Structure formats: structure tokens, C-alpha cells
Amino acid sequence: MTDTKRKLRSEAWFGGEGKNAFMHRSWMKNQGIPADAFDGRPVIGICNTWSELTPCNAHLRALADHVKRGVYEAGGLPLEFPVMSLGESNMRPTAMLFRNLVSMDVEESIRGNPIDGVILLVGCDKTTPALLMGAASCNLPTITVSGGPMLNGKFRGQDIGSGTHVWKFAEEVKAGRMPVADFLAAEQGQSRSAGSCMTMGTASTMASMVEALGIGMPDNAAIPAVDSRRGVLAQMAGRQIVDLVRRDVKISDILTRQAFENAIRVNGAIGGSTNAVLHLIAIANRVGVDLSLEDWDRLGRDVPTIVDLMPSGRFLMEDFYYAGGLAAVMASLDEVGLLHRDVMTVSDKTIGELIDGAPNYNREVIRPLSEPLTDQGGISILRGNLAPNGAVIKPSAATPELMQHRGKAVVFENIEHYYARIDDPELDIDASSVMVLKNCGPRGYPGMAEVGNMPLPAKLLKQGVSDMVRISDARMSGTAYGTVVLHVAPEAAAGGALALVRDGDLIEIDVAGRRLELLVSDEELAIRRRDWKPPAPPEGGYQSLYVERVLQADKGCDFDFLVGRRDAGIPRHSH
């Protein structure tokens, strides 16, 4: 039964006849808000990451209007507010550097204002985890609305995927098989509409995680940004958040241990981005759920990838939506007992109720479990003396023949060293080599940039080599592909064994055995460690705070002082 008598948080600002209530209401009324809007109805904050500097989110200003309609229809008062927007395509040195900063912006904006519930408008990669992390620490009723993917990219008669074809075409240019003019001509065809990357990159992965966790509305993952049904979803979310506030359904009631376990398995089934590992761990730890790399390996390692999308497969997000979207994927997982059916969602229905009977309209795009794209599609966690705290690899995007491999290291001390060295014709490298990139982790870059996929040297591309084993403490774009071991922890800049690797060292990777070993004696490593010096820290500013307080990749790269829930009590008066 709806509880309409419970005193809402916003009434501590707007309720009563005293001086403070007068001030809060009066200044709000200068926007043309009528007096009866402050009669105790739910105040819904619309946390918007709209920005013209974030192309994936440039349409969210219009989407916010759909949310507002829904809030008004349900008897609430919608109030939109901005937070820093993180655009993966433009921000340097990396948007990941600012994920935690934005989470602080979100958390304190919610806590410091008269908000009873919040809609999070997200899209580009880091905007989703940043807003969820901040909201989770406040623990108010929350719904996440993703902006949706772009329309399929088109170029000269073929579908092209954002990000994925950038890497492919760039390698074709380096190999001399594609003219630069053709490469440049593909730019507009790749990005045909508003929205985020239409491959199963990090943005689409995190939109899928939102739906799998139950913190978004049904079909949140895949409706294209320009499809009118995306606006309908936003309007329905606006209605629903008012009901959640009245029933006091908090974000912690939705983001349970079982919800995260569902999301991990879904990530394997969709061939999701390795970046989801960092983000889900960070979100879970904010809400008070202990999630670890071991959970990712235990729950996801044997989940087959059944969604045939780039970068692992052939199709794109538009095709995924028309095929049945995430509900069809989850229904397949549910058939073999891989989901917690009774997990509650923000839609008032359980996951089981939402996916029962979900149709699959295209079994090429969403394959049967008996005919998967990859038998073991989940993120694999590797450990060994090179990564004692873990490293990740995405089997669905890797070359099967390289999943067990031994080769000599070709070492790049940082990203500048890589660029200076990779196309040196004298570089001693062949297809059996293992490329190693250091000092690109959370502290080392700083911010853990998406440079870990390391394009291959031109001389090998011209020989027809298409993949090599690559190892780094960096991340890679969710749109990229290859046999790439990432998130090595501890990172080189923190004194991890990665810092000690030298040219010619033998490295062994065994994905089935979950091993990553540097075949150098402990005695030799001890000698090398005596000569190692940590990099100089940044001189002041936010980067200094980041390097000092960021956790390692296996802990989600959150700040140590932000882990956990602080909830959203009523702050002291400001006057």
C-alpha cells in the first residue's frame, strides 16, 4: 500500500512557516514554481550529465524533459541539476581519472539539497558508474536512465562499429591496405546519430548492467537513443521514481548481492567490457556489498557469450534491440538456472517476472546457449607472480590459439616509450613476442587510461599478423579486441612485479589455468627491485589527491575514503 503520510526528506527544507522554510521556498519560486508544489509532494532530483563536450550525452537535455513529464504525472516535483560530465572521446588524460571526482559531485549534490529520490541520466562510459557510486553512498530511491546507443554505423555498404572499426581501419592504414582518404571518409558514417557507442563497448555494457541489476527500467540496455521508445522509457521512469519515494524503496534494496551476481553472469553472456569489472566492484563497495575478482571468475567464467556483437562478433546494438534485447539474453540464462529470479527491480517486478516469456526474434544476433559465440565468455581472472592481486582478460575478444602462450617480453616503460618504439624497424619483435606496457595504471598514468590494447607494429601487420599477447596495468576500450591482459595488480607505479619486467624475459599466460607468470627467479627480481624507483608524484591539484588515495584495480579504483554508504541525512541549516 502506498504510504502518502510519511514525512519526506524535502520537507526539512520546504515545510513549515519559519524563516528557513520561507527562504527555501521563496528563492525557488523565482523560477515560476507555484506555492502548492511545496505541499509535501516528492521532490525528484534529475541528475544530468548532459554536455556538448560529451557527444554520447549531448541529447540528455531533451531526455530530461521526458523524465519531468513522468514525475509531474505521478504527482512529484522534478528539479534538474548538473554534474561534471565525462566524455570518453574528448577528455584527457582519461575520463577514468575523474570518475571518483564525479561520484563525489553527485553524492554531495544529492545530500546537500532537498531531494527525496533521484533519476540518474547517463550515457558515456564513466558517467554510469560515477553517478551510481555517488547515489549508492546516499542510499535514496534511485532509477538510472541510459541515453541509448547510436544508430548502426554505415560505410560503403557495410555496418561499422564505433571504436571497433577505428582500431581495425587504423591497422589497415598502417599495413598499407587502406588509403588515408578512405579512413577519414568513415568518420561521419561511424557516428550517424545521437547516442553512445553502438558496439558492446563500455557504454553499452554499463547500460546492460543497469538493466541486469534492476536499477533501470526494462529495455534500458538497447533502445537506440533516437528511437521514440527511449523517451517513453524516460517518462515511465519519472512516474516510477515518485512511487519508489512514497514506498521508501532505496537503492540498497535493489543493489543486493544477488543483483550483482546476476549482472556478472549477464556480462559474460553479452561479451561485456572488461571495464565493467572495475565499475561493478566500486559500485558494490559503495552500497555495502563485498564484491571481488574471485566473484567475477567464479560466477562468470563458464558463462557462454551468446550475443554476437562487435567487438567480439558481427552485429551492433540496434540489431540487439530488434532481436529482443537484454530480456531475451536473461531468459536464456534463466532457463539453465544461472539467474536469481526473485531479485527485485525498480519496476516493482522481479527479474523473473520481467523476463518470463521474453522472445528472441533473431537467433543470429542472440544465439541459443547450445550454439554460443564463445563457450566461456565471462571475464577470466589471472594470477601469478606477475599479477599476485589479479589481472583480467576477455576471452570472447581474444584469439583462442594465444590463450596458452609463452613468449619473450618486449617492454614499453610508458605510453610515450611505446609510441616512440613500436614502429622502429630495428625493434626485436615477432608474432610470438609478448608486448608489455608499464606505468599506465591508476597511479601511473594517472587514471588508468584505455591504452592497453597497444596496436601492433606496422611491420608485423604487413606480414599478416592480426593479434599478439599484450599485458598492461592499463585498461582498454570496451570496443577494442585482442588477446590483451589488463588491470595488472599491483600496477608498476605501485611497485608491482610489472615494474621489473625487462626485454627478453619469458612470460607465460595460461587462461584455462588462470595463470600469468614472469619466468624470472625470485633472486633476480629481488636484485631488480633494489634498483627500482617509484615515479615522482604529481605536484598538487586533483591529480595529487587521486594518486595518493586511489585503490588498485582489484578494488575497483575508488578512493579509499569513499568506500561505503554514508546515507543522506538532513544537513544542518545554512542560515
Side-chain angles (χ1 to χ4, degrees):
M1 182 178 219
T2 300
D3 179 8
T4 57
K5 297 181 180 179
R6 182 175 61 86
K7 188 173 182 178
L8 299 177
R9 185 173 179 271
S10 58
E11 292 184 59
W13 279 261
F14 297 137
E17 299 176 351
K19 169 178 67 73
N20 283 293
F22 176 102
M23 293 174 65
H24 293 307
R25 291 193 301 261
S26 176
W27 266 268
M28 290 297 291
K29 287 178 179 179
N30 79 356
Q31 299 175 74
I33 300 175
D36 61 2
F38 305 103
D39 59 3
R41 70 187 65 189
V43 175
I44 306 301
I46 302 174
C47 182
N48 200 343
T49 53
W50 169 86
S51 170
E52 291 180 339
L53 287 168
T54 305
C56 298
N57 296 20
H59 62 301
L60 295 188
R61 177 73 282 293
L63 200 63
D65 289 336
H66 289 276
V67 175
K68 288 180 180 180
R69 289 178 201 168
V71 172
Y72 281 127
E73 288 169 348
L77 173 63
L79 298 173
E80 184 180 353
F81 64 97
V83 291
M84 181 180 181
S85 186
L86 301 180
E88 198 67 42
S89 57
N90 282 331
M91 293 199 79
R92 296 183 180 183
T94 171
M96 183 65 176
L97 176 64
F98 306 105
R99 184 199 66 176
N100 299 345
L101 178 63
V102 173
S103 78
M104 296 167 70
D105 186 354
V106 172
E107 178 179 349
E108 301 307 334
S109 293
I110 293 172
R111 184 178 291 112
N113 281 292
I115 292 173
D116 301 309
V118 63
I119 294 279
L120 309 175
L121 286 182
V122 300
C124 198
D125 300 9
K126 308 306 174 292
T127 59
T128 301
L131 268 60
L132 275 168
M133 289 162 66
S137 289
C138 290
N139 199 31
L140 292 179
T142 302
I143 296 177
T144 304
V145 175
S146 300
M150 290 186 280
L151 297 177
N152 287 1
K154 300 285 184 180
F155 179 63
R156 296 183 178 173
Q158 65 171 317
D159 281 356
I160 62 172
S162 47
T164 299
H165 273 81
V166 171
W167 318 127
K168 288 183 178 180
F169 288 163
E171 289 185 348
E172 290 288 293
V173 172
K174 283 182 71 175
R177 294 188 290 266
M178 185 178 197
V180 172
D182 288 355
F183 177 68
L184 298 178
E187 285 182 13
Q188 190 68 59
Q190 177 187 273
S191 304
R192 298 172 51 230
S193 76
S196 55
C197 292
M198 83 298 282
T199 50
M200 189 54 77
T202 304
S204 294
T205 297
M206 292 309 298
S208 298
M209 296 297 93
V210 164
E211 186 174 340
L213 286 165
I215 199 66
M217 302 295 283
D219 289 326
N220 179 80
I223 301 174
V226 294
D227 192 309
S228 61
R229 286 166 287 194
R230 179 62 63 178
V232 173
L233 181 149
Q235 187 165 340
M236 299 305 291
R239 294 179 186 176
Q240 188 63 17
I241 190 63
V242 175
D243 182 62
L244 294 183
V245 169
R246 286 177 169 147
R247 295 188 294 112
D248 198 25
V249 179
K250 298 183 174 69
I251 192 171
S252 61
D253 298 320
I254 305 298
L255 298 184
T256 62
R257 170 78 192 189
Q258 291 73 29
F260 284 101
E261 291 186 355
N262 282 349
I264 288 172
R265 286 178 165 145
V266 168
N267 189 75
I270 64 175
S273 168
T274 51
N275 289 299
V277 178
L278 299 168
H279 299 324
L280 260 64
I281 288 175
I283 296 165
N285 288 343
R286 286 292 189 98
V287 83
V289 174
D290 183 16
L291 198 69
S292 68
L293 290 182
E294 286 70 25
D295 293 317
W296 275 91
D297 200 69
R298 176 177 58 86
L299 295 164
R301 66 185 294 174
D302 295 324
V303 176
T305 296
I306 59 174
V307 177
D308 195 347
L309 257 64
M310 300 178 196
S312 300
R314 299 171 291 165
F315 298 100
L316 294 166
M317 287 298 291
E318 210 181 330
D319 308 306
F320 182 45
Y321 177 56
Y322 303 147
L326 200 70
V329 176
M330 296 182 75
S332 291
L333 295 178
D334 184 47
E335 288 174 5
V336 293
L338 289 179
L339 290 183
H340 300 288
R341 289 179 49 83
D342 59 349
V343 167
M344 185 52 66
T345 74
V346 294
S347 70
D348 292 342
K349 294 183 178 180
T350 65
I351 285 290
E353 290 170 333
L354 288 176
I355 65 176
D356 277 342
N360 181 350
Y361 298 112
N362 189 331
R363 291 182 174 267
E364 281 193 81
V365 178
I366 304 174
R367 299 185 176 202
L369 284 168
S370 58
E371 302 174 24
L373 185 68
T374 304
D375 288 331
Q376 290 187 316
I379 302 297
S380 296
I381 307 302
L382 310 183
R383 294 185 187 274
N385 67 344
L386 192 52
N389 294 347
V392 306
I393 187 171
K394 179 178 174 178
S396 65
T399 301
E401 294 77 20
L402 292 175
M403 302 282 270
Q404 187 168 14
H405 181 77
R406 178 185 291 191
K408 290 183 179 180
V410 178
V411 177
F412 308 97
E413 294 296 329
N414 52 45
I415 193 61
E416 289 76 22
H417 188 216
Y418 165 81
Y419 286 127
R421 193 181 188 207
I422 189 62
D423 287 324
D424 182 349
E426 301 302 317
L427 182 63
D428 184 12
I429 189 169
D430 59 33
S432 68
S433 300
V434 175
M435 296 168 62
V436 176
L437 176 62
K438 305 177 184 180
N439 294 303
C440 293
R443 296 185 191 176
Y445 207 73
M448 203 179 183
E450 293 184 341
V451 295
N453 54 308
M454 289 179 276
L456 308 189
K459 68 179 182 180
L460 295 186
L461 290 169
K462 290 175 181 178
Q463 295 169 16
V465 178
S466 60
D467 194 12
M468 293 171 63
V469 174
R470 287 158 275 179
I471 300 172
S472 181
D473 47 12
R475 299 178 300 113
M476 76 173 181
S477 168
T479 67
Y481 50 89
T483 310
V484 189
V485 179
L486 302 155
H487 309 184
V488 171
E491 64 176 303
L498 191 70
L500 310 179
V501 182
R502 294 180 179 175
D503 281 338
D505 288 347
L506 283 176
I507 294 177
E508 186 170 73
I509 174 177
D510 179 3
V511 176
R514 298 303 195 260
R515 292 190 306 108
L516 182 64
E517 295 287 341
L518 174 62
L519 303 181
V520 175
S521 70
D522 291 343
E523 292 77 14
E524 172 61 21
L525 292 178
I527 293 170
R528 294 182 188 182
R529 185 169 294 283
R530 286 198 293 268
D531 296 331
W532 176 79
K533 294 181 180 179
E539 295 183 3
Y542 171 71
Q543 289 194 18
S544 179
L545 170 68
Y546 185 93
V547 168
E548 180 182 347
R549 304 305 291 269
V550 70
L551 298 170
Q552 287 293 287
D554 60 307
K555 301 296 183 183
C557 298
D558 202 356
F559 288 152
D560 54 7
F561 62 88
L562 292 178
V563 174
R565 262 176 44 202
R566 289 163 287 283
D567 290 354
I570 307 300
R572 289 175 169 176
H573 285 297
S574 55
H575 298 87

